[in-house]
mmCIF file with all atom_site columns, all heavy atoms in Angstrom:
data_model
loop_
_atom_site.group_PDB
_atom_site.id
_atom_site.type_symbol
_atom_site.label_atom_id
_atom_site.label_alt_id
_atom_site.label_comp_id
_atom_site.label_asym_id
_atom_site.label_entity_id
_atom_site.label_seq_id
_atom_site.pdbx_PDB_ins_code
_atom_site.Cartn_x
_atom_site.Cartn_y
_atom_site.Cartn_z
_atom_site.occupancy
_atom_site.B_iso_or_equiv
_atom_site.pdbx_formal_charge
_atom_site.auth_seq_id
_atom_site.auth_comp_id
_atom_site.auth_asym_id
_atom_site.auth_atom_id
_atom_site.pdbx_PDB_model_num
ATOM 1   N N   . THR M 1 355 ? 6.301  94.765 126.748 1.00 97.00 ? 534 THR M N   1
ATOM 2   C CA  . THR M 1 355 ? 6.785  94.976 128.125 1.00 97.00 ? 534 THR M CA  1
ATOM 3   C C   . THR M 1 355 ? 5.599  95.046 129.081 1.00 97.00 ? 534 THR M C   1
ATOM 4   O O   . THR M 1 355 ? 5.578  94.397 130.136 1.00 97.00 ? 534 THR M O   1
ATOM 5   C CB  . THR M 1 355 ? 7.600  96.293 128.211 1.00 97.00 ? 534 THR M CB  1
ATOM 6   O OG1 . THR M 1 355 ? 8.703  96.196 127.333 1.00 97.00 ? 534 THR M OG1 1
ATOM 7   C CG2 . THR M 1 355 ? 8.093  96.555 129.619 1.00 97.00 ? 534 THR M CG2 1
ATOM 8   N N   . PHE M 1 356 ? 4.604  95.821 128.700 1.00 97.00 ? 535 PHE M N   1
ATOM 9   C CA  . PHE M 1 356 ? 3.404  95.972 129.540 1.00 97.00 ? 535 PHE M CA  1
ATOM 10  C C   . PHE M 1 356 ? 2.714  94.615 129.725 1.00 97.00 ? 535 PHE M C   1
ATOM 11  O O   . PHE M 1 356 ? 2.339  94.230 130.835 1.00 97.00 ? 535 PHE M O   1
ATOM 12  C CB  . PHE M 1 356 ? 2.460  96.974 128.868 1.00 97.00 ? 535 PHE M CB  1
ATOM 13  C CG  . PHE M 1 356 ? 1.200  97.235 129.634 1.00 97.00 ? 535 PHE M CG  1
ATOM 14  C CD1 . PHE M 1 356 ? 1.164  98.190 130.640 1.00 97.00 ? 535 PHE M CD1 1
ATOM 15  C CD2 . PHE M 1 356 ? 0.028  96.529 129.349 1.00 97.00 ? 535 PHE M CD2 1
ATOM 16  C CE1 . PHE M 1 356 ? -0.005 98.439 131.347 1.00 97.00 ? 535 PHE M CE1 1
ATOM 17  C CE2 . PHE M 1 356 ? -1.139 96.769 130.051 1.00 97.00 ? 535 PHE M CE2 1
ATOM 18  C CZ  . PHE M 1 356 ? -1.156 97.730 131.053 1.00 97.00 ? 535 PHE M CZ  1
ATOM 19  N N   . ARG M 1 357 ? 2.583  93.875 128.631 1.00 97.00 ? 536 ARG M N   1
ATOM 20  C CA  . ARG M 1 357 ? 1.905  92.571 128.681 1.00 97.00 ? 536 ARG M CA  1
ATOM 21  C C   . ARG M 1 357 ? 2.659  91.608 129.592 1.00 97.00 ? 536 ARG M C   1
ATOM 22  O O   . ARG M 1 357 ? 2.074  90.848 130.353 1.00 97.00 ? 536 ARG M O   1
ATOM 23  C CB  . ARG M 1 357 ? 1.812  91.968 127.263 1.00 97.00 ? 536 ARG M CB  1
ATOM 24  C CG  . ARG M 1 357 ? 0.808  92.680 126.390 1.00 97.00 ? 536 ARG M CG  1
ATOM 25  C CD  . ARG M 1 357 ? -0.599 92.230 126.762 1.00 97.00 ? 536 ARG M CD  1
ATOM 26  N NE  . ARG M 1 357 ? -1.609 93.133 126.258 1.00 97.00 ? 536 ARG M NE  1
ATOM 27  C CZ  . ARG M 1 357 ? -2.632 93.602 126.962 1.00 97.00 ? 536 ARG M CZ  1
ATOM 28  N NH1 . ARG M 1 357 ? -2.787 93.281 128.218 1.00 97.00 ? 536 ARG M NH1 1
ATOM 29  N NH2 . ARG M 1 357 ? -3.512 94.402 126.433 1.00 97.00 ? 536 ARG M NH2 1
ATOM 30  N N   . TYR M 1 358 ? 3.972  91.660 129.492 1.00 95.00 ? 537 TYR M N   1
ATOM 31  C CA  . TYR M 1 358 ? 4.791  90.767 130.315 1.00 95.00 ? 537 TYR M CA  1
ATOM 32  C C   . TYR M 1 358 ? 4.562  91.063 131.806 1.00 95.00 ? 537 TYR M C   1
ATOM 33  O O   . TYR M 1 358 ? 4.308  90.163 132.611 1.00 95.00 ? 537 TYR M O   1
ATOM 34  C CB  . TYR M 1 358 ? 6.276  90.937 129.948 1.00 95.00 ? 537 TYR M CB  1
ATOM 35  C CG  . TYR M 1 358 ? 7.205  90.365 130.976 1.00 95.00 ? 537 TYR M CG  1
ATOM 36  C CD1 . TYR M 1 358 ? 7.314  88.987 131.144 1.00 95.00 ? 537 TYR M CD1 1
ATOM 37  C CD2 . TYR M 1 358 ? 7.939  91.199 131.818 1.00 95.00 ? 537 TYR M CD2 1
ATOM 38  C CE1 . TYR M 1 358 ? 8.141  88.457 132.119 1.00 95.00 ? 537 TYR M CE1 1
ATOM 39  C CE2 . TYR M 1 358 ? 8.762  90.680 132.787 1.00 95.00 ? 537 TYR M CE2 1
ATOM 40  C CZ  . TYR M 1 358 ? 8.860  89.311 132.938 1.00 95.00 ? 537 TYR M CZ  1
ATOM 41  O OH  . TYR M 1 358 ? 9.663  88.790 133.909 1.00 95.00 ? 537 TYR M OH  1
ATOM 42  N N   . VAL M 1 359 ? 4.605  92.355 132.153 1.00 96.00 ? 538 VAL M N   1
ATOM 43  C CA  . VAL M 1 359 ? 4.490  92.726 133.571 1.00 96.00 ? 538 VAL M CA  1
ATOM 44  C C   . VAL M 1 359 ? 3.071  92.469 134.089 1.00 96.00 ? 538 VAL M C   1
ATOM 45  O O   . VAL M 1 359 ? 2.878  91.890 135.160 1.00 96.00 ? 538 VAL M O   1
ATOM 46  C CB  . VAL M 1 359 ? 4.888  94.216 133.774 1.00 96.00 ? 538 VAL M CB  1
ATOM 47  C CG1 . VAL M 1 359 ? 4.619  94.664 135.193 1.00 96.00 ? 538 VAL M CG1 1
ATOM 48  C CG2 . VAL M 1 359 ? 6.353  94.412 133.444 1.00 96.00 ? 538 VAL M CG2 1
ATOM 49  N N   . VAL M 1 360 ? 2.077  92.873 133.305 1.00 96.00 ? 539 VAL M N   1
ATOM 50  C CA  . VAL M 1 360 ? 0.698  92.803 133.808 1.00 96.00 ? 539 VAL M CA  1
ATOM 51  C C   . VAL M 1 360 ? 0.104  91.402 133.635 1.00 96.00 ? 539 VAL M C   1
ATOM 52  O O   . VAL M 1 360 ? -0.454 90.838 134.576 1.00 96.00 ? 539 VAL M O   1
ATOM 53  C CB  . VAL M 1 360 ? -0.173 93.866 133.096 1.00 96.00 ? 539 VAL M CB  1
ATOM 54  C CG1 . VAL M 1 360 ? -1.640 93.709 133.465 1.00 96.00 ? 539 VAL M CG1 1
ATOM 55  C CG2 . VAL M 1 360 ? 0.319  95.260 133.456 1.00 96.00 ? 539 VAL M CG2 1
ATOM 56  N N   . ASP M 1 361 ? 0.242  90.818 132.443 1.00 94.00 ? 540 ASP M N   1
ATOM 57  C CA  . ASP M 1 361 ? -0.424 89.534 132.183 1.00 94.00 ? 540 ASP M CA  1
ATOM 58  C C   . ASP M 1 361 ? 0.377  88.353 132.717 1.00 94.00 ? 540 ASP M C   1
ATOM 59  O O   . ASP M 1 361 ? -0.172 87.452 133.336 1.00 94.00 ? 540 ASP M O   1
ATOM 60  C CB  . ASP M 1 361 ? -0.660 89.339 130.677 1.00 94.00 ? 540 ASP M CB  1
ATOM 61  C CG  . ASP M 1 361 ? -1.627 90.380 130.135 1.00 94.00 ? 540 ASP M CG  1
ATOM 62  O OD1 . ASP M 1 361 ? -2.294 91.030 130.964 1.00 94.00 ? 540 ASP M OD1 1
ATOM 63  O OD2 . ASP M 1 361 ? -1.700 90.557 128.916 1.00 94.00 ? 540 ASP M OD2 1
ATOM 64  N N   . GLU M 1 362 ? 1.688  88.375 132.463 1.00 94.00 ? 541 GLU M N   1
ATOM 65  C CA  . GLU M 1 362 ? 2.468  87.207 132.894 1.00 94.00 ? 541 GLU M CA  1
ATOM 66  C C   . GLU M 1 362 ? 2.842  87.275 134.366 1.00 94.00 ? 541 GLU M C   1
ATOM 67  O O   . GLU M 1 362 ? 2.702  86.314 135.103 1.00 94.00 ? 541 GLU M O   1
ATOM 68  C CB  . GLU M 1 362 ? 3.743  87.095 132.057 1.00 94.00 ? 541 GLU M CB  1
ATOM 69  C CG  . GLU M 1 362 ? 3.497  86.393 130.735 1.00 94.00 ? 541 GLU M CG  1
ATOM 70  C CD  . GLU M 1 362 ? 4.787  86.197 129.986 1.00 94.00 ? 541 GLU M CD  1
ATOM 71  O OE1 . GLU M 1 362 ? 5.747  85.689 130.579 1.00 94.00 ? 541 GLU M OE1 1
ATOM 72  O OE2 . GLU M 1 362 ? 4.812  86.578 128.805 1.00 94.00 ? 541 GLU M OE2 1
ATOM 73  N N   . MET M 1 363 ? 3.330  88.455 134.788 1.00 93.00 ? 542 MET M N   1
ATOM 74  C CA  . MET M 1 363 ? 3.797  88.550 136.172 1.00 93.00 ? 542 MET M CA  1
ATOM 75  C C   . MET M 1 363 ? 2.689  88.964 137.134 1.00 93.00 ? 542 MET M C   1
ATOM 76  O O   . MET M 1 363 ? 2.889  89.013 138.339 1.00 93.00 ? 542 MET M O   1
ATOM 77  C CB  . MET M 1 363 ? 4.967  89.538 136.281 1.00 93.00 ? 542 MET M CB  1
ATOM 78  C CG  . MET M 1 363 ? 6.213  89.135 135.538 1.00 93.00 ? 542 MET M CG  1
ATOM 79  S SD  . MET M 1 363 ? 6.697  87.429 135.844 1.00 93.00 ? 542 MET M SD  1
ATOM 80  C CE  . MET M 1 363 ? 6.967  87.432 137.603 1.00 93.00 ? 542 MET M CE  1
ATOM 81  N N   . LYS M 1 364 ? 1.526  89.289 136.595 1.00 93.00 ? 543 LYS M N   1
ATOM 82  C CA  . LYS M 1 364 ? 0.352  89.649 137.415 1.00 93.00 ? 543 LYS M CA  1
ATOM 83  C C   . LYS M 1 364 ? 0.658  90.796 138.389 1.00 93.00 ? 543 LYS M C   1
ATOM 84  O O   . LYS M 1 364 ? 0.285  90.760 139.564 1.00 93.00 ? 543 LYS M O   1
ATOM 85  C CB  . LYS M 1 364 ? -0.148 88.440 138.230 1.00 93.00 ? 543 LYS M CB  1
ATOM 86  C CG  . LYS M 1 364 ? -0.391 87.194 137.399 1.00 93.00 ? 543 LYS M CG  1
ATOM 87  C CD  . LYS M 1 364 ? -1.768 87.245 136.757 1.00 93.00 ? 543 LYS M CD  1
ATOM 88  C CE  . LYS M 1 364 ? -2.080 86.010 135.945 1.00 93.00 ? 543 LYS M CE  1
ATOM 89  N NZ  . LYS M 1 364 ? -2.170 86.193 134.515 1.00 93.00 ? 543 LYS M NZ  1
ATOM 90  N N   . VAL M 1 365 ? 1.379  91.785 137.905 1.00 94.00 ? 544 VAL M N   1
ATOM 91  C CA  . VAL M 1 365 ? 1.661  92.953 138.739 1.00 94.00 ? 544 VAL M CA  1
ATOM 92  C C   . VAL M 1 365 ? 0.487  93.915 138.623 1.00 94.00 ? 544 VAL M C   1
ATOM 93  O O   . VAL M 1 365 ? 0.056  94.244 137.522 1.00 94.00 ? 544 VAL M O   1
ATOM 94  C CB  . VAL M 1 365 ? 2.969  93.651 138.275 1.00 94.00 ? 544 VAL M CB  1
ATOM 95  C CG1 . VAL M 1 365 ? 3.178  94.963 139.018 1.00 94.00 ? 544 VAL M CG1 1
ATOM 96  C CG2 . VAL M 1 365 ? 4.150  92.726 138.493 1.00 94.00 ? 544 VAL M CG2 1
ATOM 97  N N   . ARG M 1 366 ? -0.035 94.352 139.770 1.00 89.00 ? 545 ARG M N   1
ATOM 98  C CA  . ARG M 1 366 ? -1.213 95.224 139.727 1.00 89.00 ? 545 ARG M CA  1
ATOM 99  C C   . ARG M 1 366 ? -0.837 96.701 139.802 1.00 89.00 ? 545 ARG M C   1
ATOM 100 O O   . ARG M 1 366 ? -1.605 97.565 139.418 1.00 89.00 ? 545 ARG M O   1
ATOM 101 C CB  . ARG M 1 366 ? -2.162 94.876 140.876 1.00 89.00 ? 545 ARG M CB  1
ATOM 102 C CG  . ARG M 1 366 ? -2.664 93.445 140.792 1.00 89.00 ? 545 ARG M CG  1
ATOM 103 C CD  . ARG M 1 366 ? -3.845 93.232 141.700 1.00 89.00 ? 545 ARG M CD  1
ATOM 104 N NE  . ARG M 1 366 ? -4.962 94.109 141.363 1.00 89.00 ? 545 ARG M NE  1
ATOM 105 C CZ  . ARG M 1 366 ? -5.812 93.881 140.373 1.00 89.00 ? 545 ARG M CZ  1
ATOM 106 N NH1 . ARG M 1 366 ? -5.667 92.818 139.617 1.00 89.00 ? 545 ARG M NH1 1
ATOM 107 N NH2 . ARG M 1 366 ? -6.803 94.710 140.142 1.00 89.00 ? 545 ARG M NH2 1
#
Side-chain angles (χ1 to χ4, degrees):
T534 300
F535 181 86
R536 288 282 163 227
Y537 164 71
V538 173
V539 173
D540 295 345
E541 277 185 50
M542 296 312 300
K543 308 276 182 248
V544 173
R545 299 195 60 80

